[in-house]
Structures are given as structure tokens and as C-alpha cells.
Amino acid sequence: MRLESNVFWIPSIFFFLAGTLYGIFTGWAEWVGIVAILLTGGMFIMIGIYFKMLEKRHGRRPEDDEDAHISELAGSQGVYAPWSWWPLVIALGAALAFVAMAVGWWIMVPAVIIGSVGLVGWVLEFSTGRHAH
């Protein structure tokens, strides 16, 4: 995970430097651009920190070793959903939310309800039914 972490740490340094230079060149007068660039650097740092935490939790992987063999990756790779209808329900809620912005805000109520039901269903998909753990 060290490589994945560095992929996000290095751009974060660039964005913090770019945000500071942008602030200097604009005389600290244009706050929207400064904040946007600095927040972009912050988002890169959050992902970099997450990958560092994964590196500490899982240790060195066969992908990180240049002398590793393909057979070292054999075995279970995780649990994946064979199929799921819940993303379609969430997409319907999101579509209704966008319609609400164009047509009328009252449509946001069913959009939030449908989106919440879809999100809870997707999160709890493996707790009940055929694929329960």
C-alpha cells in the first residue's frame, strides 16, 4: 500500500503549494479559488491517510514485493455481491432529487425516502436473505 499512499501524498503537497502561491499572486483577495485548491489538497491527504492505515493493518502484500510469485496471491480475495438491485433504487432517488431541483422542491421528500431505503437495503444486503453471513 506504500505506492498507493504516495500516489495521493505527492499531489496533496502540490495542491497545498499551488493554493498558497495562488493566494500570494492574487493578493489573498480571491477566496473561492484558494479554498477550492486547498480543499482538493485536503481530499488527497484523506485518501493518503486511509491507504497508510491499510498499510499498517495488512502489512506488506505480495504486490509490493518485486520478487514475489503469482502463486502468492492465490486464495480468497474477499466477498463480493453476485448481484444487487439496490443501486438502481439509489439511482432512482438521485434522479428524483435532480428532478426536484428543476421542477419543485416538494419532490425532494420522496427522493430522500427512496434514496434512504435504497442505501439501507444495500448496506444490509448481506444481513438477510440468500447471501446472509
Side-chain angles (χ1 to χ4, degrees):
M1 290 287 178
R2 179 169 295 160
L3 176 66
E4 290 93 341
S5 177
N6 288 340
V7 164
F8 289 96
W9 281 102
I10 293 170
S12 71
I13 295 167
F14 165 77
F15 281 111
F16 285 128
L17 181 64
T20 305
L21 289 174
Y22 185 79
I24 291 170
F25 288 136
T26 60
W28 302 100
E30 204 277 303
W31 284 99
V32 174
I34 297 167
V35 171
I37 295 171
L38 293 178
L39 284 176
T40 303
M43 286 188 282
F44 272 96
I45 279 194
M46 286 190 323
I47 298 171
I49 288 172
Y50 175 72
F51 280 131
K52 279 289 183 191
M53 290 174 16
L54 284 179
E55 179 184 351
K56 288 181 183 178
R57 184 182 313 155
H58 296 291
R60 193 163 171 85
R61 301 173 305 161
E63 294 95 349
D64 298 329
D65 187 11
E66 293 183 13
D67 297 326
H69 298 287
I70 294 175
S71 61
E72 294 179 32
L73 288 173
S76 176
Q77 297 293 322
V79 177
Y80 300 100
W83 52 267
S84 179
W85 290 98
W86 292 112
L88 294 175
V89 177
I90 293 173
L92 176 65
L96 282 175
F98 281 105
V99 167
M101 288 187 273
V103 175
W105 288 102
W106 63 271
I107 302 175
M108 191 63 78
V109 173
V112 168
I113 292 171
I114 291 172
S116 299
V117 167
L119 183 62
V120 168
W122 201 11
V123 168
L124 299 177
E125 183 172 22
F126 286 119
S127 298
T128 60
R130 216 170 92 190
H131 303 289
H133 290 181

